[in-house]
Amino acid sequence: MRVVIAGGHGKIALLLQRHLAERGDTPVGLIRNPEQAATLRAAGATPVVCDLEHADVTEVAAHLDRADAVIFAAGAGPGSSAARKDSVDRGAAALLADAATRAGVHRYLLVSSMGVDDPPAAGTDDVWAAYLRAKRAAEDDLRGRDLAWTVLRPGQLTDNEPTGRVTLTRHAGRGAISRADVALVLAALLDTPGTAGATLELVDGPTPIADAVQAAHA
């Protein structure tokens, strides 16, 4: 399976790329900075330099040639402005969906966030509020498209070792999840077409990942 991952230098993406490569898939990571290419190659991925904030749909679609699936795991990152939360976390996700449609790539996984269903509470930091609104807008945009999409909303992310056991459901409740387990869940979702159309929250839990994903059909 050839899988193109936006945000290829992110922590989750690097873990996912290594896992996909080890199991025999072909991960391709989209990155803004060419200096990050060596890190992706070390993880077993093919790096492609493509700035999703400035690329057009034709350029991005060309990078999706022969892909079986795309994953949006990009983000503006810590310290970025509210404007960049919108241009990356919403705008780039929509651009990738446009490109997937043009390239004939039907499977699309979106890494979103828990907490986007409710409007930001009064007094919420402006940048964090912009992040939540951008993630929700990206979800809403994707739901209106003719793609086999799945939205994954992880809880609080940690760098702990993977446990291989999770809670994966429409409403998981507050909790944490390791980035390594998020990567494993994304790989399992790729293998499970029945999760298309599902919006799933993910935190630590008791259920083996394979069983949790099989039970999470839309």
Side-chain angles (χ1 to χ4, degrees), residues 100-192:
T101 299
R102 180 170 295 195
V105 182
H106 200 49
R107 190 71 168 116
Y108 187 121
L109 305 185
L110 173 69
V111 181
S112 185
S113 174
M114 290 179 66
V116 303
D117 280 333
D118 299 317
T124 300
D125 174 78
D126 288 345
V127 174
W128 180 249
Y131 169 80
L132 293 175
R133 285 193 293 265
K135 285 297 188 187
R136 179 54 190 259
E139 290 186 36
D140 290 343
D141 172 80
L142 191 57
R143 293 188 186 101
R145 295 176 181 268
D146 186 22
L147 293 170
W149 55 264
T150 303
V151 173
L152 183 64
R153 296 173 170 177
Q156 181 181 356
L157 295 169
T158 74
D159 290 322
N160 295 340
E161 292 296 313
T163 67
R165 293 178 176 272
V166 300
T167 294
L168 180 69
T169 185
R170 181 65 183 87
H171 298 289
R174 290 187 177 274
I177 185 74
S178 72
R179 291 177 173 87
D181 278 321
V182 175
L184 294 175
V185 169
L186 286 168
L189 290 170
L190 288 173
D191 299 333
T192 313

Side-chain angles (χ1 to χ4, degrees), residues 12-100:
I12 291 172
L14 288 170
L15 291 162
L16 175 59
Q17 287 160 174
R18 187 176 300 279
H19 176 65
L20 292 176
E22 287 174 349
R23 74 178 199 176
D25 292 320
T26 303
V28 177
L30 303 183
I31 53 176
R32 288 191 307 136
N33 185 350
E35 294 180 358
Q36 298 169 342
T39 304
L40 269 69
R41 292 191 188 98
T46 299
V48 171
V49 178
C50 178
D51 185 348
L52 292 175
E53 283 187 275
H54 299 99
D56 62 25
V57 65
T58 301
E59 176 187 348
V60 181
H63 296 315
L64 305 187
D65 182 46
R66 297 178 290 111
D68 298 292
V70 298
I71 299 176
F72 188 83
S80 56
S81 65
R84 288 203 67 228
K85 298 300 185 189
D86 182 72
S87 62
V88 178
D89 292 274
R90 179 203 58 79
L95 175 61
L96 185 66
D98 288 339

